[in-house]
Amino acid sequence: MTKGESQEWDNLIKWLEEKHPGFERNLSLRDVPGLERGLVTSKKLKKGDILFHIPSSCMLNPLTLLPNSPIPSHLFPQTTSKSVPTSSLTPIQKKPRIGNPPRKLDTTQLLTLHLALTKDPKGRYKSDWQVYIDSLPISFRPWHPLTWIVGPSDKAQKEEWEWWNHLYGIGLSESTKLKVQDVKNRFERDYEVLSDVLKEEEPFKSQGLDGMISEEDILWAWLNVNTRSISIPLGLPGPSERNNHTLVPLMDFINHSSNESLITPKVKQLPTPSSSRTRKPSVTTKSNTNGSPSPHLPGKTNGHTDANIGIKYNAVLLPNKIDFQLSCPDRGLDANDEVLFEYGGHSSSTLFAEYGFCEVPKSPIPQTNGWLDMKYGEVDLTSYINELWDQQDQEDKEEKRQVLEDIGCWEGNTLHAQPSPCHPSHSLLMTIRLLHLPTSSPKLPNISKGLITYISPQNETSTLLTLEGICKKVIKEATKRDKVLEKLVKEEKNNEKVGVVGMLRAMCDEEKVICGEVLRALEKGDDFQ
């Protein structure tokens, strides 16, 4: 941890203590072996002791931004808030675009815009959260893979960028590239929206901010929101997965683990002490697709931390009057124990594409059972399945896709390490089974209704042979990619580059280990039903 990072931490704690009554902590920032930094306990703690208490006033979301934001109110997901008198808004905030339907930003776009405005070279948009913003990463180059395919505006960085862009081409599996491209697509859509806002909306248009806030500024802001916001129901209109993001000071310093024996915080939301207003609950606790009690988790990852850490929702919370509290687990913690939580049920390739890191087994020998014990050990076969889809007749593809969507098996073409033994997902098996069905098969209607999963012995033989061929191809390509990366490491002296290449090699090992186990199961004739 550098002297500058230490000072930013001290400034952040001072700001929280002085400006946000109710803030409490028993955590400190420390260098962590194998990582840059993390949060550790300041003293020995027992069951139920508070790790930290974050008041709602210091959180950053549309509801806390609205009262004093220079961003026009009609851009917010919710144009007015019951907790904010309309009279407190500025004249600019009250005016939507004339002659056009009001433009609405989702929470990712709004928070990105707020952060990007702090880059105004004339300093006209100093944030009330500036001390917190100063604690965020100042750049995501080169460690986030999105920056490997979005070129820098600074020509002096071009040569260095080309090294990382080359690494993207040779070091990532095709399925991981698809995930990075998905991140890029989301960024480009949001960038286009925010560029239009700066060009067309006042006061930004008159100030010429479109020419002052660069793509690099927006990329920096967007990646901070995409990698550090927490999904919390805010009670805003529109799709919940697009309007539920909050930046929570201190939370972004906590490192990830999927190991349940290491995950430490117990998390709950509770009414802000100063608030007596209540409302009926807007959410109910249901299991998501992974079975976790997280009502706010989107069906697909969008990069935002899902905070799959046991959040308890009280029945009378007002969205912008919610404090955030982490408490000590039942086992207690010793002084200097690191606090960890799970960013969501994400595989290594998803973590890498979204956050720029992957979780690696503690085992020193990758080919041991380390990968097989990983909670979310996974191999994504989407790129290989896409090749098979391309061989289908167009009309046939559309019919079969609709059937897979009807039974909830479209996409999800993955192999899993857990629960043991390694196995293909049900979605993957059903997809390959349908790919081997003749065009307009009479069995498709019953499959669509969920009445049939096993089609025929002949179909199953073809399905398993296809799965075997894909697994062998994955192992061959991962082995080839690993050899290229091994050579790159031997030639490279930069520790940062060596560390990133090491993660990519680890993902190669994951593919080889899991696919190898599935091949062994196929050879033994194990039943994947």
Side-chain angles (χ1 to χ4, degrees):
M1 182 168 57
T2 66
K3 183 177 180 180
E5 289 172 334
S6 178
Q7 184 61 54
E8 288 166 359
W9 169 263
D10 292 341
N11 292 341
L12 177 60
I13 296 301
K14 182 179 179 182
W15 175 72
L16 289 168
E17 291 175 341
E18 293 182 354
K19 303 294 185 181
H20 300 281
F23 170 69
E24 183 178 352
R25 70 170 175 116
N26 283 304
L27 297 175
S28 300
L29 188 65
R30 294 282 189 278
D31 288 321
V32 176
L35 301 167
E36 291 187 0
R37 59 188 182 179
L39 291 186
V40 301
T41 51
S42 305
K43 61 182 180 180
K44 185 178 179 64
L45 299 171
K46 64 181 184 300
K47 173 184 175 181
D49 284 348
I50 291 175
L51 295 174
F52 66 55
H53 183 113
I54 305 294
S56 62
S57 61
C58 68
M59 299 184 197
L60 188 51
N61 60 43
L63 298 168
T64 57
L65 267 178
L66 184 60
N68 300 302
S69 177
I71 299 173
S73 63
H74 67 267
L75 294 176
F76 280 64
Q78 184 169 298
T79 55
T80 60
S81 170
K82 293 181 180 179
S83 62
V84 182
T86 306
S87 60
S88 69
L89 304 178
T90 66
I92 288 177
Q93 287 175 297
K94 290 180 182 179
K95 286 185 178 181
R97 292 184 298 166
I98 298 174
N100 293 294
R103 177 186 278 122
K104 296 288 183 185
L105 302 181
D106 61 31
T107 48
T108 293
Q109 295 163 350
L110 188 76
L111 294 177
T112 298
L113 178 60
H114 180 82
L115 295 186
L117 287 172
T118 66
K119 296 292 188 178
D120 173 24
K122 294 188 177 182
R124 290 166 290 192
Y125 292 93
K126 196 76 171 179
S127 172
D128 290 341
W129 285 264
Q130 193 63 47
V131 175
Y132 165 56
I133 294 171
D134 289 342
S135 74
L136 298 173
I138 60 174
S139 176
F140 287 82
R141 293 189 186 276
W143 57 269
H144 195 288
L146 175 58
T147 68
W148 302 359
I149 53 176
V150 176
S153 54
D154 185 355
K155 292 182 179 179
Q157 295 180 320
K158 193 70 173 179
E159 184 176 347
E160 178 70 4
W161 175 77
E162 288 175 351
W163 189 95
W164 293 97
N165 184 250
H166 176 65
L167 181 63
Y168 172 85
I170 65 171
L172 274 64
S173 70
E174 291 303 314
S175 291
T176 303
K177 286 178 183 177
L178 287 176
K179 294 181 180 183
V180 178
Q181 287 292 335
D182 178 67
V183 176
K184 182 174 184 281
N185 292 339
R186 297 201 314 266
F187 167 70
E188 288 178 340
R189 287 195 297 268
D190 288 341
Y191 175 71
E192 182 178 0
V193 170
L194 295 178
S195 293
D196 288 343
V197 166
L198 294 176
K199 289 175 186 175
E200 300 172 4
E201 299 285 351
E202 294 293 354
F204 315 132
K205 178 180 178 181
S206 298
Q207 294 170 342
L209 279 183
D210 176 51
M212 298 181 184
I213 304 295
S214 67
E215 180 181 12
E216 194 73 14
D217 293 331
I218 295 176
L219 175 67
W220 164 80
W222 190 87
L223 280 171
N224 267 305
V225 175
N226 195 65
T227 61
R228 277 153 175 76
S229 63
I230 303 293
S231 295
I232 300 175
L234 298 174
L236 296 171
S240 61
E241 73 275 8
R242 296 186 62 82
N243 284 322
N244 63 358
H245 304 115
T246 293
L247 287 166
V248 182
L250 298 194
M251 283 293 290
D252 56 305
F253 287 99
I254 301 180
N255 290 318
H256 164 86
S257 176
S258 64
N259 187 332
E260 294 179 359
S261 67
L262 298 177
I263 296 172
T264 45
K266 287 190 171 181
V267 183
K268 60 181 177 181
Q269 294 174 265
L270 61 164
T272 301
S274 61
S275 173
S276 59
R277 298 178 64 184
T278 62
R279 69 179 181 91
K280 294 181 180 180
S282 62
V283 296
T284 56
T285 302
K286 296 180 181 179
S287 293
N288 63 19
T289 54
N290 295 320
S292 304
S294 304
H296 58 290
L297 295 183
K300 298 179 183 178
T301 181
N302 58 0
H304 306 279
T305 302
D306 296 331
N308 186 11
I309 39 182
I311 294 177
K312 296 180 180 179
Y313 296 91
N314 294 319
V316 291
L317 295 179
L318 189 69
N320 58 331
K321 295 293 182 181
I322 299 173
D323 286 8
F324 207 67
Q325 189 178 95
L326 272 70
S327 58
C328 190
D330 293 349
R331 67 177 184 272
L333 294 169
D334 290 329
N336 294 314
D337 278 353
E338 186 182 6
V339 173
L340 301 163
F341 75 85
E342 185 179 289
Y343 288 8
H346 302 320
S347 66
S348 298
S349 60
T350 297
L351 285 172
F352 186 77
E354 297 287 354
Y355 302 103
F357 73 91
C358 71
E359 190 175 16
V360 178
K362 298 299 181 182
S363 170
I365 305 174
Q367 280 74 21
T368 64
N369 286 339
W371 283 115
L372 304 182
D373 295 333
M374 293 290 284
K375 183 178 179 181
Y376 300 115
E378 176 185 300
V379 178
D380 190 334
L381 304 182
T382 297
S383 61
Y384 300 93
I385 295 300
N386 286 348
E387 291 177 6
L388 298 177
W389 276 113
D390 290 341
Q391 299 170 17
Q392 298 277 305
D393 175 81
Q394 183 62 34
E395 184 176 344
D396 196 26
K397 282 196 289 190
E398 293 174 0
E399 183 180 26
K400 291 178 179 178
R401 172 171 177 160
Q402 185 58 56
V403 171
L404 290 169
E405 288 179 346
D406 290 343
I407 60 177
C409 290
W410 177 247
E411 299 182 328
N413 298 306
T414 46
L415 304 177
H416 297 271
Q418 293 290 326
S420 184
C422 291
H423 58 278
S425 68
H426 178 65
S427 295
L428 174 60
L429 286 177
M430 290 306 300
T431 298
I432 301 176
R433 286 167 180 160
L434 262 63
L435 285 168
H436 284 291
L437 270 181
T439 302
S440 300
S441 168
K443 294 190 176 183
L444 284 173
N446 283 336
I447 296 173
S448 178
K449 296 174 184 177
L451 301 176
I452 295 176
T453 55
Y454 182 90
I455 296 171
S456 71
Q458 183 181 2
N459 178 274
E460 196 67 8
T461 298
S462 298
T463 295
L464 297 182
L465 284 172
T466 296
L467 180 60
E468 179 184 15
I470 292 175
C471 286
K472 288 180 178 178
K473 191 173 182 180
V474 171
I475 293 173
K476 181 180 179 180
E477 292 180 356
T479 301
K480 180 180 178 181
R481 198 165 64 249
D482 188 42
K483 289 180 179 178
V484 173
L485 292 170
E486 182 182 21
K487 181 180 179 181
L488 194 63
V489 167
K490 291 178 179 178
E491 298 171 349
E492 185 55 55
K493 304 300 182 184
N494 182 295
N495 289 335
E496 182 178 36
K497 292 179 178 178
V498 169
V500 173
V501 173
M503 284 193 288
L504 300 185
R505 294 192 67 194
M507 288 194 283
C508 292
D509 287 325
E510 180 180 29
E511 292 182 1
K512 289 185 284 186
V513 169
I514 293 177
C515 285
E517 286 298 305
V518 171
L519 281 177
R520 279 185 276 277
L522 288 169
E523 290 170 1
K524 291 190 298 181
D526 288 353
D527 188 2
F528 289 131
Q529 291 295 321

